[in-house]
Amino acid sequence: MKRRVLFIAFVALSAMAFSEKSKITIKNTIGADLDEFGDYDVFSHTRQTDIEGKTISENVFSFGDQFQLDFESKLVDARLRLEALYSTADDAESKFLFSPTGFVHFEPFDKKIGFIAGNSYGKRFAVQSAYFAASDDTTKWGRLLTDSLGHDKYFGSSSAAVLSNGFAFGATSALSFGEAGNGYMKAAAGATMYPDGSDTEAAVDFGFDVGLLDGFDFAFTSHAVNRDERKFGAFLGYTGNKNLVLNAHFYYNFTDSDYLPETRVERSGVDEFKKQSTKYALAFSGGYKTQSGFGFYADFLSGLTNEYIGKIKYYDADGNLSETKIKTIIRGGTIVKYKNGKPKRTDEFEHEAVPFFTGIRLSYDISKNVETELSIKIRGMFRDADSTYFTIYPKMQVSLPQKRGNINGGIRLDFNTARFHGLSSVSIPLSYTYKFKKKF
């Protein structure tokens, strides 16, 4: 009986969705480009120094396909994304990775109220004023709803089971106001759940995004508010000129590893690379594109103190772990204690070190079909020169005649002082993307 009711409900919703004008967009990308999908480029040569000072080199070949189907109607917008990637990288979870992700967003009340469920929202709820222009991206915590449990990219990236790696659901609202309808308010609240052995982790998100005065966007996001490692973001941006970007961000507990460095730590004769975070962060982004096709964009993010939110482990006199607490830690402070409170080990980082990120992107449209870019990114730690990552990336996009797709390619040069002093990686991203749209 229950299955019959669910089936009838599914048929009714499908009929409602297709009763209005609808659009399907199919996007398929083949190749390997970590900016487009996956974690690898088609080819990369990397070098790393081990704890004995020996240089370890690796050549990595990767190739994959990303298929994405988007459906839009007056009542429903939905996405299905299938990613398959083969890579020879030693640090890959497996040689072949397959990730099915997607969501269904149902808005039955003229888009004023909606309900969403899935296992990855991607950038569906990205805040406009949280945009990083030089990176052409939005930080993870600049989205009303996202994976707040800190798991990489998806709720797990190697399983073929769509829901076994995690599930998310929520409610949304969108209103417009003002004489011309240029004002808007978007709000969302939801939860993400992730299976952890016999237990299930859960995190609650909510946020809002408001457009005012025909040119300003203000937003607030909160993630994992039910957990000790909760995160908050506040954003303000100017939106009155489509060619101009001016945004400012403030974060509490910023942990987005795309914009912060990793610090090398030697522990028990083994190299470890710890992803950095910061308790408070301030960011700015700006840029402008001229009518002649030239664009200049810049991003900057920095921690405001040498504090971060992390785990402190407490051990008893026999060396057994008794409890773990989420606390504010000062760099160089204790992260492991005996039960009596005496320090056992510090976090091994420079006391005054503060993480930062800087990005610059120059673009020029040579013609209607050819776009070129040069991006430079620096991730590092103030007062810690041994944790600097520097990337130079010239790239080109060629649009084929008669809308037959785009070819993206370039060369990515990585320098860092954490894994290798000097040129640590040369990689070649290359991909072909084709889009197909159909209205009915």
Side-chain angles (χ1 to χ4, degrees), residues 44-49 55-58 388-391 412-427:
S44 64
H45 174 76
T46 61
R47 294 185 294 179
Q48 180 175 315
T49 305
T55 299
I56 303 172
S57 300
E58 181 184 12
T388 302
Y389 293 76
F390 181 77
T391 301
R412 202 188 310 267
L413 305 175
D414 291 310
F415 303 80
N416 76 71
T417 58
R419 297 175 181 264
F420 184 86
H421 285 265
L423 181 60
S424 59
S425 173
V426 178
S427 61

Side-chain angles (χ1 to χ4, degrees), residues 170-192:
T172 64
S173 177
L175 303 172
S176 60
F177 53 86
E179 294 182 0
N182 294 327
Y184 57 84
M185 185 182 78
K186 304 173 186 177
T192 57

Side-chain angles (χ1 to χ4, degrees), residues 2-193:
K2 186 182 293 184
R3 290 184 178 181
R4 183 177 299 175
V5 172
L6 290 174
F7 176 74
I8 294 173
F10 174 76
V11 172
L13 289 174
S14 300
M16 292 172 63
F18 282 90
S19 63
E20 302 289 342
K21 292 183 179 180
S22 305
K23 181 176 72 173
I24 286 179
T25 302
I26 295 175
K27 178 183 176 182
N28 196 75
T29 302
I30 60 173
D33 182 343
L34 61 84
D35 287 339
E36 298 295 325
F37 72 96
D39 295 317
Y40 304 98
D41 292 327
V42 166
F43 170 79
S44 64
H45 174 76
T46 61
R47 294 185 294 179
Q48 180 175 315
T49 305
D50 63 16
I51 58 176
E52 297 178 352
K54 298 179 180 178
T55 299
I56 303 172
S57 300
E58 181 184 12
N59 292 322
V60 176
F61 297 90
S62 305
F63 193 82
D65 181 270
Q66 181 195 82
F67 172 84
Q68 180 173 300
L69 171 65
D70 287 294
F71 172 80
E72 297 179 54
S73 72
K74 186 176 181 180
L75 296 175
V76 175
D77 70 277
R79 170 172 294 172
L80 171 66
R81 177 181 288 176
L82 304 175
E83 285 191 9
L85 179 70
Y86 173 82
S87 178
T88 63
D90 291 337
D91 62 352
E93 294 181 19
S94 65
K95 295 300 181 184
F96 179 79
L97 300 175
F98 177 67
S99 298
T101 60
F103 63 84
V104 176
H105 189 199
F106 180 52
E107 299 175 290
F109 305 107
D110 195 25
K111 296 189 179 297
K112 291 182 174 62
I113 298 177
F115 307 94
I116 189 165
N119 71 339
S120 176
Y121 300 146
K123 301 177 185 177
R124 174 63 178 81
F125 296 102
V127 171
Q128 188 171 354
S129 52
Y131 178 64
F132 259 169
S135 305
D136 192 22
D137 196 10
T138 302
T139 65
K140 184 176 182 179
W141 311 121
R143 303 168 191 174
L144 300 181
L145 297 176
T146 189
D147 170 19
S148 295
L149 294 172
H151 302 288
D152 291 339
K153 195 172 182 181
Y154 308 123
F155 298 85
S157 58
S158 61
S159 173
V162 176
L163 300 180
S164 67
N165 285 324
F167 185 73
F169 60 90
T172 64
S173 177
L175 303 172
S176 60
F177 53 86
E179 294 182 0
N182 294 327
Y184 57 84
M185 185 182 78
K186 304 173 186 177
T192 57
M193 295 179 292

